[in-house]
Amino acid sequence: MLATTYAGWLLLTWHYSDLPWWLVVPAGGWLLAWHGSLQHEALHGHPTRHEALNGWLVTLPLALWLPYPVYRDSHRLHHRTDALTDPFSDPESYYVDATRWQSLGQIRRAVLTLNNTLAGRLAVGPWLAVATLWWAEARRVAGGDLGRAGLWTRHLMLCTLILVWTTVICGIPVWAYVLGFVWPGLSLTLLRSFAEHRPGADQDRRTAIVEAGPLLSLLYLNNNLHLVHHDSPELPWYALRRVYRARREELLRRNGTYVFSGGYAEIVRRYLFRLRDHPAHPGRHDHAGPQMVATAPL
């Protein structure tokens, strides 16, 4: 998988000027989303038993915007919380506290509402995710977090390598790489995560199952079977489908049949231009601290 992704990216960028845009955009988006799926596998302990080696295998920031260590630490917090979707506990929540919602201006409310439709998540979601993360990280660095500053310095050095290859050697303008690779790649990732979690009475009922076809299941490395992954995050991607088939009835009973049996086509039909949930979290919160920062569920 890693070899295919990196080789595909090298070939696509090298032959960029010889290919039509309508081929570059879906291929570039696919490869970057696939790389994100592999980063997800690495932070859960694959393909080797050595965490440092796993990290090095996926650390190249093909998508530019997100350092792998930031994603790794945030996603592990997401798995440790016992309150999925709670904006105070879950760093991958797309909800805001009801009290904060009341204090937001009309433009920010409109953006968050649009982001809770599938069309908005695919079109606006990538820009919102990047801006939210960068703002939070800039505040940490400005506040004197030297460790974070060092992390971003290393990340920028790796981004420089990527841009030297794509821009200087392959002749791809930066804007074309962002619009033709990064944006569609993140949009594909956000398609997967759009309906993964919802507020619920208990933890199991907050996590979905999407019975996707073989193509998108391969792209997402079976992470569409999300309840299985949350049940056993240490399982490698190729074992998830076998476990799901063996335990399907039990899993669907536990999550209140929160399942999309029609795959992502069903999600498109239901939510393309329709609000999936209100952006304000329906739960009550007694927290006094700040909300977590969503890093785009990946």
Side-chain angles (χ1 to χ4, degrees):
M1 285 291 183
L2 283 165
T4 300
T5 300
Y6 286 127
W9 180 81
L10 287 169
L11 286 170
L12 186 64
T13 51
W14 179 256
H15 292 287
Y16 168 82
S17 60
D18 303 320
L19 299 171
W21 68 268
W22 50 263
L23 178 61
V24 170
V25 172
W30 178 281
L31 288 168
L32 262 65
W34 217 1
H35 186 253
S37 295
L38 288 164
Q39 287 185 318
H40 176 261
E41 282 292 296
L43 70 87
H44 283 296
H46 309 291
T48 78
R49 298 179 181 181
H50 305 285
E51 181 175 350
L53 176 57
N54 294 339
W56 275 108
L57 288 172
V58 298
T59 198
L60 274 178
L62 301 187
L64 301 176
W65 72 282
L66 178 63
Y68 170 72
V70 172
Y71 170 47
R72 177 197 62 207
D73 295 346
S74 173
H75 189 70
R76 287 175 177 175
L77 283 174
H78 167 72
H79 272 273
R80 286 200 292 268
T81 182
D82 59 358
L84 287 168
T85 74
D86 185 305
F88 291 97
S89 305
D90 184 356
E92 295 188 0
S93 173
Y94 273 108
Y95 298 89
V96 297
D97 173 50
T99 302
R100 183 181 175 219
W101 173 260
Q102 295 299 325
S103 68
L104 295 178
Q106 290 186 350
I107 294 178
R108 294 184 71 182
R109 285 191 187 188
V111 170
L112 290 175
T113 300
L114 177 63
N115 195 44
N116 268 16
T117 67
L118 183 59
R121 186 67 59 88
L122 299 182
V124 178
W127 309 104
L128 184 61
V130 172
T132 302
L133 176 75
W134 282 3
W135 174 248
E137 291 293 309
R139 291 181 64 182
R140 289 187 62 165
V141 173
D145 190 333
L146 297 181
R148 217 59 168 188
L151 183 155
W152 276 95
T153 299
R154 292 189 296 272
H155 177 70
L156 290 174
M157 292 171 65
L158 291 172
C159 285
T160 300
L161 293 177
I162 298 295
L163 292 174
V164 166
W165 169 261
T166 57
T167 304
V168 179
I169 297 176
C170 298
I172 307 174
V174 174
W175 66 264
Y177 187 75
V178 170
L179 295 182
F181 288 76
V182 179
W183 186 15
L186 187 46
S187 290
L188 277 173
T189 299
L190 295 181
L191 169 63
R192 192 212 76 220
S193 65
F194 179 75
E196 273 181 355
H197 295 292
R198 64 177 180 180
D202 58 70
Q203 191 82 328
D204 285 344
R205 290 174 178 262
R206 297 172 187 149
T207 304
I209 291 288
V210 181
E211 295 179 333
L215 193 63
L216 287 179
S217 293
L218 181 63
L219 174 63
Y220 298 140
L221 300 185
N222 290 327
N223 203 23
N224 47 290
L225 304 174
H226 210 57
L227 181 58
V228 184
H229 170 62
H230 268 265
D231 247 16
S232 304
E234 76 285 350
L235 281 178
W237 70 273
Y238 47 83
L240 295 176
R241 184 165 293 278
R242 170 176 49 81
V243 172
Y244 178 62
R245 286 173 176 167
R247 299 174 52 199
R248 184 178 186 274
E249 291 186 9
E250 171 216 337
L251 289 164
L252 296 186
R253 184 172 61 251
R254 281 173 46 199
N255 83 339
T257 62
Y258 183 31
V259 59
F260 296 91
S261 56
Y264 289 98
E266 179 182 347
I267 294 175
V268 171
R269 286 195 303 270
R270 290 172 62 175
Y271 299 119
L272 185 61
F273 299 112
R274 186 181 303 164
L275 195 66
R276 176 176 167 259
D277 275 324
H278 195 281
H281 195 278
R284 299 184 61 179
H285 309 292
D286 298 318
H287 305 266
Q291 292 192 176
M292 304 289 273
V293 175
T295 56
L298 299 179

